[in-house]
Amino acid sequence: MEDKTKYSMVGKNIDQYPIAMAYVPWQEFGKIYEDLEKAYSYGTIFQELNKPFVGRRCVS
């Protein structure tokens, strides 16, 4: 059975919380595509960020 006490503060004093917080690690400058036309067709110039959508998951 799920413990619902952890949700007891949801919605209370919401105006006192920041709008959003995120942790975004620094991207290290790595391999880039030399052919910019190819890179633009992939949507990124960084080879590490080229993760084609295959219907279920990203591919490494």
Side-chain angles (χ1 to χ4, degrees), residues 2-29:
E2 185 179 3
D3 179 20
K4 296 188 182 203
T5 59
K6 64 182 176 180
Y7 301 114
S8 64
M9 291 303 293
V10 173
K12 297 183 185 205
N13 301 322
I14 200 160
D15 59 327
Q16 296 178 9
Y17 291 99
I19 294 175
M21 287 185 172
Y23 168 73
V24 181
W26 284 100
Q27 178 183 339
E28 293 185 26
F29 190 76

Side-chain angles (χ1 to χ4, degrees), residues 35-54:
D35 181 2
L36 290 180
E37 292 297 321
K38 186 177 187 180
Y40 292 141
S41 73
Y42 291 143
T44 181
I45 63 169
F46 299 100
Q47 292 181 13
E48 293 88 1
L49 296 180
N50 185 5
K51 305 288 185 191
F53 182 72
V54 293

